[in-house]
């Protein structure tokens, strides 16, 4: 705390980063290992359910407008 008042500045710390290289084969192996297989059939069922609700709501609104 006293050093900056005396005219000395803090020096940035030295950092030596180890060199790395890009290996496409290793990257693909990592992706295959991490990838989680999911079933997409649930999405189709959900879309059908929303469509049925929308049609039902349309029928209810139509019936109310007639009365």
């Amino acid at each position: 705390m006293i050093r900056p008042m005396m005219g000395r500045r803090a020096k940035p710390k030295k950092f030596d980063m180890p060199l790395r290289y890009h290996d496409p084969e290793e990257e693909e192996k990592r992706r295959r290992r991490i990838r989680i297989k999911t079933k997409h059939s649930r999405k189709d069922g959900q879309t059908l359910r929303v469509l049925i609700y929308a049609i039902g709501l349309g029928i209810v609104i139509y019936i109310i407008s007639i009365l």
Side-chain angles (χ1 to χ4, degrees), residues 10-27:
K11 295 181 182 177
K13 293 183 179 181
K14 294 181 180 179
F15 179 73
D16 293 325
M17 184 172 172
L19 296 175
R20 295 183 178 187
Y21 62 95
H22 177 70
D23 187 10
E25 293 176 5
E26 185 67 30
E27 186 72 24

Side-chain angles (χ1 to χ4, degrees), residues 25-39:
E25 293 176 5
E26 185 67 30
E27 186 72 24
E28 186 61 32
K29 287 179 186 177
R30 185 178 298 129
R31 285 183 186 164
R32 273 191 243 123
R33 187 173 63 228
I34 294 175
R35 188 175 296 147
I36 299 171
K37 295 180 181 179
T38 58
K39 295 181 181 179

